[in-house]
């Protein structure tokens, strides 16, 4: 399992490096896959979907955990939600970039941490709502 986590971590760091260089990972995928109906279904499901916010119904002082792909914090302006944002990711580069963005823009957050999804360091019941994005597929939960 540890080897798989290392591979995933390396891939996420590479994705971040590509983004900084202006390279979209989507440009690296075969056109046949990008044009497939399966990919189009996956692509429609992301953190910008208004149904996600409606479903989670974030309220003031609710603790919201974003598991993986914390760039959603910036891209979809999750910092505008009334809940308290916490993010975890296995990519140090991604976490550091989001921390820098929050600091530069003086955005108050609960915290950003380099953790695996199964080893967060938080006690059960700490969060009220949770979103998890894994390779573009968003999952939402109430805790």
């Amino acid at each position: 399992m540890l080897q798989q986590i290392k591979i995933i971590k390396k891939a996420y760091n590479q994705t971040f490096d590509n983004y900084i260089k202006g390279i979209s990972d989507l440009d690296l995928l075969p056109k046949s896959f990008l044009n497939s109906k399966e990919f189009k279904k996956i692509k429609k499901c992301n953190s910008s979907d208004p149904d996600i916010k409606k479903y989670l119904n974030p309220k003031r002082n609710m603790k919201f955990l974003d598991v993986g792909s914390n760039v959603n914090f910036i891209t979809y302006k999750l910092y505008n939600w009334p809940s308290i944002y916490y993010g975890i990711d296995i990519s140090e580069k991604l976490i550091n970039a989001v921390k820098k963005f929050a600091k530069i823009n003086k955005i108050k957050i609960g915290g950003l941490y380099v953790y695996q999804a199964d080893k967060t360091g938080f006690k059960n019941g700490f969060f009220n709502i949770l979103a998890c994005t894994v390779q573009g597929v968003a999952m939402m939960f109430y805790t």
Side-chain angles (χ1 to χ4, degrees), residues 65-126:
L65 177 62
D66 186 12
V67 179
S69 195
N70 296 136
V71 77
N72 293 334
F73 175 77
I74 299 168
T75 307
Y76 304 121
K77 300 181 180 179
L78 299 179
Y79 50 84
N80 286 334
W81 287 18
S83 50
I84 303 166
Y85 182 89
Y86 290 82
I88 64 169
D89 202 289
I90 60 172
S91 170
E92 304 93 15
K93 290 181 180 185
L94 191 56
I95 289 293
N96 290 334
V98 176
K99 281 181 178 179
K100 183 177 179 181
F101 175 85
K103 184 177 180 179
I104 289 170
N105 292 284
K106 298 178 179 154
I107 299 169
K108 185 179 176 185
I109 55 174
L112 291 162
Y113 307 95
V114 178
Y115 287 143
Q116 291 177 204
D118 64 336
K119 298 177 183 173
T120 67
F122 295 102
K123 292 183 179 183
N124 285 342
F126 183 79

